[in-house]
Amino acid sequence: MESISRISSMLDTARELTLEAAQSASTVRSSSTRLISRDLSTSQIKKLLDSRSDREILEGLRKVISMMYRSKPCLPFFSSIVKNVASPNIEIKKLVYIYLLHYAESEPDLALLSINTIQKSLTNQNPQVRALALRVMSGIRVPVISQIVSLAIKRGCGDMSPYVRKAAALAIPKCYRLDPNTLPQLREYLSTLLGDKQYFVVGSAATAFLEVCPERIDLIHRHYRALVRKLVDMDEWGQLATLKVMTYYARKCFPRRTKRQKRGKDRGFYEGEDSNEEDKNTGQEVQVLDPDLNLFLKACKSMLQSRNSAVVVAVARCFLYLGTPEYIDSAVGPLVALLRSPLDVRQIAMYNIVAVCLIRPEPFVRFVSHFLVHATDPADVSRLKFEIMTLLFPHCEPHMKEMILSELAHFTRSSNMELVQESVRAIGRCAQNDNVASARCLRLLLQQISSQDGHVVAESLTVIRHLIQQDPQAHIKTVIRLAKNLDTTTDPQARASIIWLVGEFSGVEDQDNIAPDVLRILAKGFADESEAAKLQIVLLAAKIYLHYLNRTSPPSDQEPHHSRPGSPLLQPFNPFAPPNDEGGFEASASSFGNSNSPSQQNRPPDSDPSPSSSSHPIPMLYKYILLLTRYDTSYDLRDRA
């Protein structure tokens, strides 16, 4: 009975202790939630940091870190936090290291006090602590400790743990930025890490190599094949760095070589060495890859299926710079697949597609429907799609060409003026790249002449001018049609372009020569024209007058019977000379038209009745235009006239 009573008393005591422990735990939990829910004062936080309890120190550090990321002043806690760097608790170490990395540059003297403790952590049994200590020591931006950081990196390069070696590789660029004089030592560490057996260490070493000494490709020589083998297993960022390093190395060390491949044809029985030499000289040139380069390209091929779009783009650029057409063709599908990615990735992918299309556009022809512009596409993406379609246009089938032109013609009627201008330029590029479709493109461009937007008209006329210059004789009727639009065109640059085109055709035959008539109409409203149009009108008058002189001047080996030393044709005209006594330009023009003038009365009856050249409308128009420019307000126009 005594034993039963003793057991029951023990159970009662245990129940009471359990209730007391639960009550105290709830009290602590409620106090901690109150601490978290409200901001503590500086003295309260310092009290937590100076506590002997790891739980309270951890709570104080969390409060400081949260204040730090809310841009609140945390420097008053520096001394209280730094003394906790020697704590064996790894959670406390992490938070102290985060604080040190953020404020060590502001308090370098106090940060130096913790260096010895961090150095001791480099010999800790836990590899995570060693890697964290190396990372923190290299992140403290105090130039005095650069040699200490270099020695820590040297120790990390020989560490048994790959995580510590990776931290050493990432610390090399930080040490170089801290003190560039440590470069010779850092090169030795890099050479060691590039030959590491662990792929994630090599990826970090390649990143450090790009930042510290990218021109020292001699460090890559002995590690080339090992890097190629580890490339597939690296993480995405290590793959990007290694791809960049290896592409630079390959372009430097593997020159592009070609050989002539014999054409496959049947030989006759008597064809011998002479035909072999002819085949060597006339065969097709084929690119020859170095075996090591081919090894690298084959290793890259599997990374086209990577989930990281940057890796896919980097592999495509490797194939573009180093590979044969077969390798480039294998990258076409993954590049097109990136068009279903977010907007920023899509834009980068299209920039690279344009770069590939400039060299090899044929593989993209079957994907031309992927480059049609959507209503939600921004202006940059639409511009790139237009560029890609114009590059693919000459290689497409006729029905696909019609689809591209229909797409571009649709956007010429868009409400977005920037998109309209880009589509007009794209139509012009299509016409320049394909002579067969140039007539259709020209009709589409001529439809834009009647647009209400002067910028669209000017852009269309600029493209039309380039097309006409390629084959002038086939576009005489086009120039006549453009000249008819001068009555409705109001944009200064558009009018100047039309006048310039008319001037280029001022030397054609008389039945198709509209230049003098256009000049006569333009002379009426010369004063109301813009300066750009006035300059072109003066140039048009000069061209017409020059062609007139070439047609009417006699051959140089014959003396004309109607030209006299005092003839107006042989006397240069000066529009800035003072008018003569007979009334200037009007009187001279009327005297040439009067049949009772003294020169007509004194003419012999058997002489040539051809009138003087001054009475012809073309010289009169030319003189009139020059007189108009004499009184123009533009200095440049007067000087050019």
Side-chain angles (χ1 to χ4, degrees):
M1 293 296 291
E2 292 179 1
S3 61
I4 295 173
S5 62
R6 189 182 299 113
I7 291 172
S8 61
S9 63
M10 290 174 61
L11 289 174
D12 293 337
T13 306
R15 185 171 62 252
E16 291 175 357
L17 291 174
T18 305
L19 292 173
E20 289 178 2
Q23 186 177 1
S24 63
S26 62
T27 305
V28 170
R29 192 180 301 112
S30 61
S31 63
S32 63
T33 53
R34 284 196 301 272
L35 290 176
I36 295 174
S37 60
R38 61 186 179 86
D39 290 336
L40 300 179
S41 64
T42 304
S43 59
Q44 289 175 320
I45 295 176
K46 282 187 176 182
K47 186 177 179 180
L48 289 174
L49 294 173
D50 295 335
S51 174
R52 293 184 179 182
S53 171
D54 288 349
R55 181 170 52 81
E56 292 182 357
I57 295 173
L58 196 60
E59 186 64 38
L61 285 171
R62 286 171 181 164
K63 296 295 291 184
V64 172
I65 298 299
S66 65
M67 290 171 61
M68 184 176 71
Y69 284 108
R70 283 182 290 168
S71 301
K72 291 187 176 182
C74 298
L75 273 177
F77 310 112
F78 197 93
S79 57
S80 300
I81 291 177
V82 166
K83 67 182 182 182
N84 290 310
V85 73
S87 174
N89 191 328
I90 191 170
E91 296 296 329
I92 293 177
K93 275 184 179 292
K94 287 181 181 179
L95 294 178
V96 171
Y97 287 161
I98 291 172
Y99 182 86
L100 274 175
L101 288 174
H102 199 272
Y103 284 107
E105 198 169 3
S106 303
E107 294 287 342
D109 296 332
L110 291 175
L112 290 175
L113 297 177
S114 62
I115 292 297
N116 291 331
T117 308
I118 297 174
Q119 277 185 294
K120 291 179 182 178
S121 299
L122 292 174
T123 58
N124 194 291
Q125 293 182 355
N126 189 344
Q128 189 177 3
V129 174
R130 297 199 301 270
L132 189 59
L134 183 55
R135 177 188 171 193
V136 172
M137 185 179 292
S138 61
I140 296 176
R141 295 182 292 273
V142 180
V144 181
I145 64 170
S146 60
Q147 292 300 325
I148 300 176
V149 174
S150 178
L151 291 174
I153 293 173
K154 182 179 180 180
R155 178 180 291 180
C157 291
D159 198 281
M160 296 296 293
S161 172
Y163 295 102
V164 180
R165 298 199 298 272
K166 180 179 180 180
L170 295 174
I172 289 175
K174 300 177 184 177
C175 184
Y176 175 70
R177 288 194 295 266
L178 196 64
D179 185 8
N181 295 325
T182 58
L183 181 60
Q185 307 165 23
L186 298 178
R187 284 199 197 116
E188 296 178 6
Y189 308 154
L190 267 177
S191 180
T192 304
L193 292 170
L194 285 171
D196 200 279
K197 294 182 180 180
Q198 294 293 332
Y199 56 86
F200 51 86
V201 177
V202 176
S204 301
T207 306
F209 176 83
L210 283 175
E211 190 166 348
V212 175
C213 52
E215 72 285 349
R216 290 295 302 271
I217 59 174
D218 55 296
L219 300 177
I220 309 293
H221 287 325
R222 57 179 177 168
H223 306 303
Y224 175 81
R225 293 180 182 173
L227 286 171
V228 171
R229 287 193 296 269
K230 297 184 183 75
L231 185 60
V232 181
D233 298 324
M234 295 179 187
D235 61 286
E236 288 91 346
W237 305 114
Q239 286 177 345
L240 286 174
T242 309
L243 281 171
K244 192 172 182 179
V245 171
M246 302 301 280
T247 303
Y248 179 76
Y249 177 85
R251 296 183 76 177
K252 286 282 187 182
C253 300
F254 300 125
R256 187 180 291 269
R257 294 183 297 174
T258 58
K259 71 174 184 179
R260 290 192 177 273
Q261 190 176 18
K262 297 179 181 179
R263 295 178 180 176
K265 64 176 182 179
D266 297 334
R267 294 185 179 275
F269 180 77
Y270 294 102
E271 292 182 0
E273 296 180 356
D274 295 338
S275 61
N276 289 333
E277 293 179 358
E278 290 179 1
D279 285 343
K280 290 180 181 178
N281 295 329
T282 60
Q284 183 182 5
E285 281 194 358
V286 180
Q287 183 179 354
V288 180
L289 293 178
D290 188 277
D292 285 333
L293 177 58
N294 198 23
L295 179 69
F296 171 57
L297 294 176
K298 285 182 179 177
C300 293
K301 205 166 186 179
S302 60
M303 290 191 293
L304 289 171
Q305 312 302 323
S306 174
R307 61 184 179 181
N308 192 319
S309 56
V311 175
V312 177
V313 170
V315 173
R317 295 190 77 85
C318 282
F319 290 167
L320 180 64
Y321 295 139
L322 305 171
T324 58
E326 290 76 16
Y327 281 107
I328 298 176
D329 294 350
S330 64
V332 169
L335 277 178
V336 174
L338 293 179
L339 297 178
R340 295 189 291 270
S341 304
L343 180 60
D344 51 349
V345 177
R346 198 188 325 159
Q347 189 170 356
I348 297 296
M350 279 193 287
Y351 274 116
N352 288 274
I353 289 173
V354 170
V356 177
C357 285
L358 289 171
I359 296 176
R360 187 167 175 79
E362 292 86 358
F364 288 97
V365 171
R366 58 197 178 103
F367 299 109
V368 70
S369 60
H370 290 70
F371 305 112
L372 299 178
V373 180
H374 302 291
T376 56
D377 287 339
D380 293 338
V381 174
S382 302
R383 189 182 302 112
L384 288 169
K385 286 187 175 182
F386 285 153
E387 178 70 22
I388 294 171
M389 284 193 287
T390 55
L391 291 173
L392 301 181
F393 185 80
H395 308 279
C396 294
E397 297 294 329
H399 69 282
M400 299 177 75
K401 290 182 180 179
E402 186 66 26
M403 180 187 70
I404 293 174
L405 289 179
S406 300
E407 176 80 1
L408 297 176
H410 169 73
F411 283 99
T412 58
R413 299 184 294 272
S414 173
S415 58
N416 187 348
M417 288 300 110
E418 185 179 357
L419 201 60
V420 172
Q421 293 181 19
E422 289 297 331
S423 62
V424 168
R425 294 191 191 107
I427 292 172
R429 290 195 296 269
C430 290
Q432 291 176 352
N433 295 334
D434 190 0
N435 295 328
V436 178
S438 60
R440 167 76 192 280
C441 296
L442 189 61
R443 287 196 298 271
L444 292 175
L445 292 171
L446 288 173
Q447 293 175 4
Q448 303 303 314
I449 303 299
S450 57
S451 175
Q452 299 297 323
D453 187 7
H455 297 290
V456 176
V457 176
E459 191 66 42
S460 303
L461 285 171
T462 303
V463 176
I464 290 171
R465 186 183 68 186
H466 290 305
L467 295 178
I468 290 175
Q469 285 177 312
Q470 292 181 350
D471 188 9
Q473 297 302 321
H475 295 94
I476 296 176
K477 301 295 184 184
T478 305
V479 176
I480 296 174
R481 179 176 175 179
L482 290 174
K484 293 178 180 178
N485 285 281
L486 278 172
D487 293 334
T488 57
T489 304
T490 57
D491 185 73
Q493 293 299 327
R495 292 182 67 83
S497 297
I498 295 176
I499 296 169
W500 183 87
L501 280 172
V502 172
E504 289 297 298
F505 287 83
S506 59
V508 298
E509 298 298 330
D510 290 341
Q511 60 270 19
D512 293 324
N513 194 351
I514 61 168
D517 221 19
V518 172
L519 180 62
R520 175 183 61 82
I521 297 171
L522 292 171
K524 297 179 181 178
F526 183 85
D528 299 327
E529 296 284 354
S530 64
E531 184 175 351
K534 287 178 181 178
L535 287 172
Q536 293 302 326
I537 292 172
V538 173
L539 184 61
L540 173 63
K543 290 178 180 178
I544 294 172
Y545 187 55
L546 182 60
H547 286 299
Y548 166 76
L549 292 179
N550 289 336
R551 286 196 300 268
T552 57
S553 61
S556 58
D557 56 347
Q558 297 179 6
E559 184 68 24
H561 63 276
H562 61 275
S563 297
R564 297 184 300 277
S567 173
L569 181 61
L570 300 179
Q571 295 177 357
F573 170 70
N574 182 11
F576 303 109
N580 53 22
D581 296 337
E582 286 80 9
F585 173 69
E586 294 181 359
S588 61
S590 61
S591 64
F592 281 116
N594 189 3
S595 60
N596 296 325
S597 62
S599 60
Q600 294 289 339
Q601 293 176 359
N602 298 330
R603 183 188 302 274
D606 55 345
S607 62
D608 188 7
S610 63
S612 174
S613 62
S614 297
S615 63
H616 196 277
I618 290 179
M620 295 173 66
L621 274 173
Y622 178 65
K623 294 175 184 179
Y624 181 57
I625 295 296
L626 292 182
L627 283 172
L628 289 174
T629 57
R630 175 182 179 182
Y631 299 104
D632 197 85
T633 57
S634 172
Y635 290 98
D636 186 42
L637 185 61
R638 295 202 298 268
D639 292 342
R640 288 176 181 268

